[in-house]
């Protein structure tokens, strides 16, 4: 590839044999695993390091800081994780300073990664940003990204266009979730309901308190799907505390989605995953009373909270937020999605539009090729 040849010319031989990933949340950790496995297979001589969770560590990435519990929504919940994030930032910077510079691959999570980009560039690291913050926005992209990166791999075509116009070396290969879903075996016939209660501890507890009673008495399989950073036991115990009935815990969450006829999903990246899996979905979000109070005081102005609706710029998926997310409301929105009918057909049509926005289904392979192109060639034996 031309991009690969240009990259090798820029970096010079014998320098970049380290790849440092930085994933601050569960979705980023899942992407890091996919990239790390491809890079490790193609280049066993490369050292894989970084900030991430259990998935990254299991894929052979040497973690210098764990971001397992960094995810937060809202000011109050975010303040609770600031000490952990700051400690992780200091550990990452200290590690970036050791040895020869390599290739820094930040993944989303701009709060931490923009700061680390500045440090990495100052220390001589090349930077390839995978999924820049706010890539879904159609009106603007991060103004500082062109000056902080050598290349950007973004999951949406309009993001690449805007970044290129700003002077960035931006590329679009499609959304990685499309390939991740393609890697999952789907049954011939779908049945039952997938429940994705969130990736943050406070989300899981509060969402399941509404979802479990909403599904009570439904004579269909229930698949409880934990986020990558959450243990199966933690989610199963929260389900029992919420009064949930018989269920199966399924990992990864996308396996539960492709097997199910409908889903109840906590707002976040998982809503996009549900849309790409063509699983009609009710989107819900509940948090602690402090979050409810913050929401009432701040009165944030947004039209939609789920990525499919944001991308489509209309309410294709029902969204139930905080007090609106009652068991009765969840059940009423979910039941029509289980049977063939206008509500289900409308969602499936909308989800196919989302698939079109997300492009080809080989984004991970192409992204790994580009990252590999920025590495120095292996030393001759």
């Amino acid at each position: 590839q031309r991009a690969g040849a240009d990259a090798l010319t820029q970096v010079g031989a014998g320098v970049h044999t380290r790849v440092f990933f930085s994933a601050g949340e569960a979705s980023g950790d899942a992407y890091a695993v996919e990239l790390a496995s491809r890079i490790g297979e193609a280049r066993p001589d490369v050292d894989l390091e970084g900030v991430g969770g259990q998935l990254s560590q299991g894929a052979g990435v040497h973690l210098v800081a764990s971001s397992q519990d960094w995810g937060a929504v809202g000011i109050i919940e975010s303040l609770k994780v600031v000490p952990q994030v700051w400690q992780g930032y200091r550990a990452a910077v200290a590690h970036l300073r050791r040895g020869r510079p390599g290739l820094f691959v930040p993944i989303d999570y701009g709060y931490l990664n923009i700061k680390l980009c500045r440090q990495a560039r100052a220390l001589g690291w090349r930077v390839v940003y995978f999924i820049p913050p706010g890539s879904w926005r159609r009106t603007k992209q991060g103004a500082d990204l062109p000056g902080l990166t050598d290349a950007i791999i973004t999951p949406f075509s309009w993001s690449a266009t805007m970044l290129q116009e700003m002077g960035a070396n931006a590329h679009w290969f499609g959304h990685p979730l499309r390939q991740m879903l393609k890697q999952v075996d789907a049954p011939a016939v779908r049945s039952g309901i997938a429940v994705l209660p969130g990736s943050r501890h406070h989300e899981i507890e509060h969402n399941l308190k509404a979802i479990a009673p909403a599904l009570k008495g439904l004579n269909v399989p229930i698949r409880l799907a934990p986020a990558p950073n959450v243990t199966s036991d933690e989610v199963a115990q929260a389900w029992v505390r919420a009064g949930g009935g018989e269920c199966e815990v399924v990992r990864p969450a996308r396996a539960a989605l492709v097997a199910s006829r409908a889903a109840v999903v906590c707002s976040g990246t998982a809503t996009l995953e549900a849309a790409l899996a063509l699983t009609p979905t009710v989107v819900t979000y509940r948090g602690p009373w402090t979050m409810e109070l913050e929401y009432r005081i701040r009165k944030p102005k947004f039209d939609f909270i789920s990525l499919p609706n944001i991308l489509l710029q209309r309410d294709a998926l029902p969204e139930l937020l905080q007090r609106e997310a009652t068991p009765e409301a969840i059940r009423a929105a979910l039941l029509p999605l289980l049977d063939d009918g206008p509500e289900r057909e409308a969602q499936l049509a909308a989800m196919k539009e989302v698939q079109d926005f997300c492009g080809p289904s080989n984004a991970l392979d192409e992204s790994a090729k580009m990252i590999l192109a920025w590495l120095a060639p292996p030393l001759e034996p």
Side-chain angles (χ1 to χ4, degrees):
Q1 290 184 351
R2 175 63 182 275
D6 292 345
L8 290 175
T9 300
Q10 293 177 58
V11 300
V15 179
H16 298 88
T17 55
R18 299 168 64 191
V19 177
F20 191 102
F21 295 99
S22 180
E25 291 191 294
S27 57
D29 196 38
Y31 298 142
V33 169
E34 297 288 341
L35 294 173
S37 62
R38 287 166 171 78
I39 293 167
E41 183 177 353
R43 290 286 304 272
D45 61 306
V46 171
D47 293 324
L48 302 175
E49 310 158 334
V51 175
Q54 292 178 354
L55 288 180
S56 293
Q57 192 169 34
V61 177
H62 169 66
L63 295 186
V64 303
S66 173
S67 60
Q68 194 78 4
D69 298 317
W70 287 6
V73 173
I75 295 174
I76 295 173
E77 294 299 323
S78 296
L79 287 173
K80 292 178 182 178
V81 302
V82 166
Q84 300 174 51
V85 177
W86 178 244
Q87 186 178 9
Y89 167 77
R90 294 178 64 183
V93 171
H95 199 78
L96 290 171
R97 287 175 176 158
R98 298 189 190 118
R100 303 184 74 174
L103 183 64
F104 179 54
V105 183
I107 303 175
D108 203 356
Y109 207 69
Y111 174 76
L112 170 76
N113 283 331
I114 294 298
K115 297 177 179 65
L116 286 178
C117 280
R118 292 194 177 93
Q119 292 287 344
R121 293 277 283 182
L123 293 167
W125 288 69
R126 296 290 184 178
V127 177
V128 177
Y129 213 125
F130 186 78
I131 306 189
S135 57
W136 46 266
R137 291 194 298 253
R138 295 173 183 266
T139 55
K140 65 177 181 177
Q141 298 289 294
D144 45 4
L145 285 171
L148 294 176
T149 59
D150 295 282
I152 301 172
I153 301 171
T154 184
F156 299 111
S157 59
W158 55 85
S159 170
T161 299
M162 285 190 285
L163 288 166
Q164 289 164 2
E165 291 171 350
M166 294 161 58
N169 178 21
H171 303 265
W172 177 64
F173 304 121
H175 201 292
L177 281 177
R178 290 215 68 183
Q179 185 165 7
M180 291 166 74
L181 281 159
K182 191 173 74 170
Q183 295 168 175
V184 177
D185 293 329
V189 179
R190 294 180 181 229
S191 64
I193 300 165
V195 177
L196 283 65
S199 60
R200 303 166 181 98
H201 303 293
H202 62 272
E203 291 175 345
I204 295 166
E205 200 73 35
H206 288 85
N207 279 308
L208 288 182
K209 285 179 181 178
I211 297 171
L215 306 188
K216 203 86 169 179
L218 295 181
N219 189 28
V220 297
I222 305 296
R223 298 178 182 88
L224 193 58
N229 63 317
V230 179
T231 67
S232 299
D233 284 346
E234 180 182 350
V235 172
Q237 290 168 12
W239 176 256
V240 171
R241 286 195 297 271
E246 183 179 349
C247 73
E248 177 188 6
V249 178
V250 178
R251 308 187 80 112
R254 50 189 174 275
L257 287 169
V258 300
S260 300
R261 191 160 172 83
V264 183
V265 180
C266 173
S267 178
T269 304
T271 60
L272 180 58
E273 201 166 8
L276 294 176
L278 297 180
T279 307
T281 294
V282 176
V283 179
T284 182
Y285 192 90
R286 286 174 61 119
W289 69 268
T290 52
M291 188 173 291
E292 175 70 23
L293 179 62
E294 180 184 328
Y295 175 72
R296 298 296 169 187
I297 293 174
R298 291 176 62 208
K299 296 181 179 178
K301 295 180 180 179
F302 47 75
D303 294 322
F304 308 109
I305 62 169
S306 65
L307 275 170
N309 287 353
I310 291 170
L311 294 176
L312 293 166
Q313 299 179 312
R314 67 178 192 270
D315 56 347
L317 279 61
E319 297 179 347
L320 300 172
L321 179 63
Q322 295 289 51
R323 291 182 181 178
E324 297 173 352
T326 64
E328 295 77 17
I330 294 170
R331 191 181 182 99
L334 179 66
L335 289 178
L337 303 180
L338 291 169
D339 299 321
D340 292 332
E343 291 91 344
R344 180 178 178 83
E345 291 305 314
Q347 273 214 32
L348 289 172
M351 288 175 168
K352 288 174 183 176
E353 291 182 57
V354 174
Q355 282 189 336
D356 291 340
F357 285 140
C358 292
S361 57
N362 63 343
L364 288 164
D365 292 340
E366 294 302 313
S367 299
K369 287 179 187 177
M370 172 159 282
I371 292 170
L372 284 163
W374 281 93
L375 291 170
L379 296 176
E380 293 295 332

